Amino acid sequence: MLAVPLVALAPAAAAAPEDPAPGADDRPVTVELTVLEPRTLTPGAPVTVAGELTNTGTETLTDLDVRLQRGAPVATRGELQALAGGSEPVAAAATPFQDVADELRPQDSVPFTLTTTTDALAIGGDGVYPVLLNLNGIGSDGDRRRVGELTTYLVQPPAAPAAPTDVAWLWPLVERTHRDASGTFVDDELAAEVAAGGRLDRVLATVERLPRSVPAEGVDPGPVVPVTLAVDPALVEELQLMTAGPYAVAGDADGGEGTDEAAAFLDRLRAVAADHPVVALPYGDVDADALTATGLARVVARSLPGSPEGTAQDDPDAAPAPPDAPPAEATGAAGAGILREVLGVEARTDLAWAVGGSMRLGTLEVLAGGGIEEVVLDPGALADGEAALGAGGPAAARTTLPTDGGPVDALVADGVLGELAATAERTPGGGRAAEQRHLAELALLAAQAGDAPGGQSVLVAPPREVDPAPAAVGTMMAAAAGLPWLRPATVAGLGEGPVTDTGGLAPPSGPDGLEPEGLADVAAAAHVREDLAGAVAGDADAVLAPWDAALARSSSAAWRDDPVAFAAAAADVRATTARLLERVTLLAPAEGTYSLASRDAPLVLTVLNDLPFALRVQLQVQTRGNALSVGDISDQVLGPQQRTTLQVPSEVRQSGRFSVAATLTTPDGVPLGEPVRLQVQSTAYGSISVVVTIGAAALLGLLFLRRLVRFLVRRRRGTPGEGDDDLPGGPVPEGAAVPLPPTRSPV
C-alpha cells in the first residue's frame, strides 16, 4: 500500500527567504510544464522539472529564479482535489532557488529547467506529494516577489502492490449533426473537424498514438491498452455521404469540399475500430431523458442501435420502389448496421451512455425495453454514487439499479479523471501537468485497495464533446499498461468485475436538458410521423426510416448547450414533416370544371403522391343539395411519386352546374393536401327530369290520339260531329269533302 509518512523539514526549507503569497494579479507569469521525470519516484532518484515561462503581464521582470516546495503527503483524493482547486500546499521541504533568466519582457517566453533529488525534497516513503513550483522575480518597483507558480504532484508508488486497479476507457466519437431534417448539409464544418488539427482528428489521434505490444511469433501486434470507442452512427453516416462524392451544402453553389478529408478519416477510423471494442450509441445521440419526459419514448426506441424498433437511418441512395414491388420490411438495429457496413465491425448495442451522466427511472425502463442491458452513469446520478469511486472503501465501477422489470447493470464513470482527459491542454501547467495529476489520482486509488477481493476498477469517460491533447491523453491511457499497480481493462470487462452498492437512481436535480419549446416542435413532427405510419402501404418503419433519422438528429443531446440551434433544428423538422402531408394532394382540372355526359358517369379525379413510398388514402366528396349523389370507394393505394386517377361512382339527379368539394385523407381521417372545390357541369337528364319528360310526352300522345279517334269516327259516320261547327268555315255541307286532319297536335 501507499503509505503516508511523516517527513522532517529539509534544511533548505528553514533557510528559505520570506515569500508571501500575494493575489493572482501579482503573478503575471504562466508556467507550462513539459518535463517531469521520473513519472513515478524511487528512493534517492533525481528529479527534473522543465518547461516554459511566459510573461502575460505589462511590466518587464528581472532576476527570475525558481524552486520546488514540497507539501505534506496527500492521504485522500478529496485532499488532492482541494489542492487542484487552488489551495496551496504548506511547505514541508524546499529546494534552493535556481536561476532561470535575467530578464523576461511582456509577452515573451523563456525555458527553464530545475533539477533536484528525492533526498533534497525529503521524500522518504511511498505516497503522493504535492509540490509547488515557485517562481520569484523583481518587478518595475524593485521589489522581489512571487511572479508565477504551479502545483503538481510527485508519486512514489509501492514496490509490490497487493492488487492492481483495473482502468477502462470509454472514448466518445460524437459530433453534432451538420444536416437538416431533409438530409441536406447545412454547412461544411464537419470537413474541418476531421481534417488535420480538427477536433475529431485529435480525438482519433489520441487512440492511434497508443503504443503497440510486441507480439509473439505469428501474432499481429495490437495496442497495449484497449479503448472502447462510443460511436454515433449518424456521424459515420454523414462521413459516408461526404466520402461518396460531391455533396450539396445549403447556400453553397459549389457544394462541400470535404470528400478527401472524410475518406481519409473513415480509413483511419476503420483501422482503429479493428483494434478496439466499439459501442454503438443511439442514432444522433438523442437526448433520451428529455424525450422520454416529453412523452416521446418511441423516438428514443427508434434511435436505439440494436433494437428491432431501431430503424432511424438516412438512406439517400434508396430509389422509390416500383408499384408492383413487394413492400419493404424494416430489419431494425439500423445503427449497428451502419457501423457494420461502413466500419466493418460488429458493435456492441446493449450499452447506453447517459447524456449528462444521469437519467430518470422512466428513461432507464424505455432503454431496457429496447435491448439495453447496461448503462453508464456519473456518480451524481445515484443515491450513493461516490461509493463506486472508492469513498469509504475499494473502488468498483460496477453496480446494479432496481427497476420494475428487474435489476439493470450500471457502470459509474469517474468524473474527475474524465474531466482531466477532456481539459488536459487547459489544465494549469498544460498536458504534462494533467498527466501527473491523473497518475496521482490513480495512485491514491491504489493506496486504498488493500486486500479487496477482486481488486478495484475505475472507468474513465470524458464528456462527449472532448477536445483532447493527443499526446497527454494518450499517455494517460497507456499508464495502465506501464505501471505494475494498474491494469488495462475493457468496458465489457468491468461488467464482470467487483460490484458496489450505490443505491438507486437519485432524483433529477436539474432541467430535462433540451428546451421545452423545441421539444414541442419535435413532438408535433413525431405526431405527423405517426399519422403517416397509419397510411403507409407496407412496412411503415422501413419507409419512414429517413424521417425517424431526422427526428433523432433534431433531438440530439448536442443541442443541450446551444438552445438557439436546437430551436432552429426542431422548427425545421416540424416544418419538413408537415410538408409530407402536403405532398399527397388532389389536382384540380385546368379550367376548374368537370363535365358529366351521362346520368351515371363517374366523377374522375386525379391524385398526386409525391412521396417516395406508396400510401393508402380515402376520398371524400360532398355536394350541396341533391344534385349529385356519390358512392363510397374503398381505401385507394397511391403509387410512390406518381399520379393516380380515381373514379368515384356518381349519379346525376338534375342537369346544370353545381359545386363539389373533394377532400383526401388518410384512413384515420388525417387531411392530405388542400381540399379541392370543383364546378360540375351536367348535360345529362337526371331521374326527375326523365320522369317529367316522359310524362309530358305521354300526355301529348294521349291528346293527339283522342283527336285522331274523334276525327276518324266522324268521317266513318259521314256526319258532322259535335264540335264540327268549330271547324274553319263552319259546318261541312252535305256531300262536301271532309277536311284533312291537322298536321300538328292542337296541344
Side-chain angles (χ1 to χ4, degrees):
M1 294 178 57
L2 293 178
V4 184
L6 297 175
V7 184
L9 293 178
E18 198 71 26
D19 186 19
D25 291 343
D26 294 327
R27 297 170 190 169
V29 179
T30 60
V31 182
E32 182 178 358
L33 198 62
T34 56
V35 175
L36 200 165
E37 296 294 342
R39 293 177 183 273
T40 59
L41 306 177
T42 56
V47 177
T48 301
V49 181
E52 186 174 74
L53 307 174
T54 301
N55 184 356
T56 61
T58 57
E59 61 177 343
T60 298
L61 303 173
T62 59
D63 194 16
L64 279 79
D65 49 22
V66 65
R67 71 174 181 181
L68 287 181
Q69 298 173 191
R70 177 190 60 80
V74 176
T76 67
R77 294 185 71 189
E79 293 178 19
L80 184 68
Q81 289 158 23
L83 289 171
S87 299
E88 181 176 324
V90 177
T95 67
F97 279 99
Q98 299 181 19
D99 291 338
V100 173
D102 293 332
E103 182 180 78
L104 184 60
R105 296 179 180 275
Q107 310 309 313
D108 282 355
S109 300
V110 63
F112 78 94
T113 300
L114 183 151
T115 57
T116 185
T117 65
T118 56
D119 292 338
L121 290 168
I123 296 176
D126 302 339
V128 173
Y129 297 86
V131 290
L132 178 73
L133 186 75
N134 182 353
L135 177 69
N136 275 208
I138 298 175
S140 57
D141 57 4
D143 291 339
R144 185 173 190 78
R145 67 179 190 275
R146 184 186 302 181
V147 294
E149 64 183 21
L150 175 68
T151 298
T152 187
Y153 310 93
L154 300 176
V155 177
Q156 184 163 309
T165 298
D166 289 332
V167 182
W169 285 77
L170 183 61
W171 193 243
L173 274 159
V174 179
E175 170 69 4
R176 71 166 180 86
T177 184
H178 293 268
R179 289 182 288 164
D180 61 17
S182 67
T184 302
F185 283 86
V186 296
D187 58 53
D188 206 20
E189 294 178 9
L190 184 54
E193 295 293 334
V194 299
R199 186 187 73 84
L200 289 173
D201 168 65
R202 294 193 294 275
V203 169
L204 195 57
T206 301
V207 184
E208 288 176 317
R209 65 180 298 117
L210 288 172
R212 301 181 74 82
S213 61
V214 178
E217 187 175 352
V219 179
D220 292 333
V224 298
V225 174
V227 176
T228 300
L229 309 175
V231 183
D232 178 4
L235 169 61
V236 174
E237 188 179 64
E238 290 192 10
L239 292 169
Q240 184 187 31
L241 291 172
M242 295 168 65
T243 301
Y247 57 98
V249 176
D252 188 343
D254 297 329
E257 300 179 352
T259 295
D260 293 341
E261 289 80 1
F265 185 87
L266 275 182
D267 286 342
R268 293 167 56 200
L269 181 54
R270 290 187 189 101
V272 170
D275 284 338
H276 295 272
V278 177
V279 168
L281 293 172
Y283 183 96
D285 194 26
V286 298
D287 193 335
D289 222 31
L291 290 171
T292 303
T294 312
L296 297 172
R298 297 199 64 183
V299 176
V300 177
R302 287 192 287 265
S303 75
L304 295 180
S307 167
E309 295 184 65
T311 55
Q313 180 179 12
D314 202 343
D315 188 4
D317 297 324
D324 56 349
E329 293 185 1
T331 58
I338 292 171
L339 301 189
R340 184 186 308 112
E341 176 188 350
V342 182
L343 302 183
V345 298
E346 290 295 335
R348 182 179 176 185
T349 60
D350 63 347
L351 177 73
W353 185 2
V355 174
S358 65
M359 68 174 58
R360 290 174 167 78
L361 180 59
T363 305
L364 181 60
E365 292 172 344
V366 169
L367 296 176
I372 298 299
E373 298 178 359
E374 192 171 44
V375 294
V376 176
L377 302 169
D378 285 350
L382 301 162
D384 189 17
E386 294 297 325
L389 308 185
R398 178 186 170 199
T399 187
T400 58
L401 299 172
T403 71
D404 292 341
V408 175
D409 290 336
L411 298 176
V412 184
D414 191 305
V416 172
L417 296 178
E419 192 64 24
L420 272 174
T423 61
E425 268 187 334
R426 301 186 296 278
T427 298
R432 182 63 190 89
E435 294 172 33
Q436 201 65 17
R437 165 80 186 282
H438 174 87
L439 210 57
E441 296 277 357
L442 291 175
L444 289 172
L445 271 176
Q448 66 186 32
D451 298 322
Q456 294 190 120
S457 61
V458 62
L459 173 61
V460 185
R464 282 164 158 77
E465 64 278 8
V466 60
D467 188 359
V473 180
T475 301
M476 294 180 192
M477 291 176 172
L483 298 170
W485 38 281
L486 299 176
R487 181 171 56 195
T490 64
V491 172
L494 294 186
E496 304 296 328
V499 184
T500 188
D501 183 8
T502 58
L505 289 173
S509 57
D512 294 333
L514 298 177
E515 293 292 328
E517 294 80 3
L519 286 170
D521 282 341
V522 174
H527 184 70
V528 172
R529 187 266 183 208
E530 296 298 340
D531 289 340
L532 272 177
V536 169
D539 189 332
D541 288 337
V543 300
L544 293 176
W547 289 274
D548 292 339
L551 279 166
R553 292 195 302 267
S554 69
S555 51
S556 171
W559 304 124
R560 281 191 170 192
D561 297 329
D562 194 346
V564 174
F566 171 55
D572 176 47
V573 76
R574 179 175 187 168
T576 300
T577 52
R579 285 194 293 270
L580 295 179
L581 300 178
E582 300 171 2
R583 291 170 64 180
V584 184
T585 188
L586 287 162
L587 299 178
E591 297 179 358
T593 302
Y594 279 111
S595 294
L596 299 178
S598 65
R599 180 175 62 85
D600 57 354
L603 186 63
V604 180
L605 299 174
T606 302
V607 182
L608 171 64
N609 177 17
D610 192 37
L611 295 173
F613 50 84
L615 206 67
R616 290 182 296 110
V617 300
Q618 287 185 346
L619 180 64
Q620 299 176 1
V621 179
Q622 295 178 330
T623 63
R624 290 185 178 180
N626 297 318
L628 181 72
S629 66
V630 179
D632 292 332
I633 61 172
S634 60
D635 291 356
Q636 300 293 305
V637 176
L638 309 179
Q641 294 182 332
Q642 65 184 27
R643 298 186 181 195
T644 302
T645 299
L646 302 181
Q647 294 192 359
V648 184
S650 63
E651 181 181 359
V652 177
R653 293 177 176 171
Q654 66 182 46
S655 61
R657 182 189 294 265
F658 43 88
S659 179
V660 173
T663 304
L664 204 63
T665 70
T666 68
D668 294 330
V670 178
L672 297 169
E674 294 292 332
V676 172
R677 187 166 295 278
L678 313 169
Q679 293 296 317
V680 176
Q681 176 70 45
S682 174
T683 58
Y685 289 116
S687 56
I688 297 175
S689 299
V690 169
V691 170
V692 171
T693 303
I694 292 174
L699 179 61
L700 180 63
L702 289 173
L703 291 174
F704 180 82
L705 182 61
R706 174 177 175 272
R707 184 73 170 175
L708 179 61
V709 168
R710 291 178 63 190
F711 170 77
L712 292 175
V713 169
R714 288 195 304 270
R715 183 176 183 183
R716 182 176 298 174
R717 292 175 180 174
T719 58
E722 182 181 345
D724 287 345
D725 292 340
D726 296 332
L727 292 174
V732 180
E734 184 177 351
V738 179
L740 295 174
T743 59
R744 285 189 175 183
S745 170
V747 179

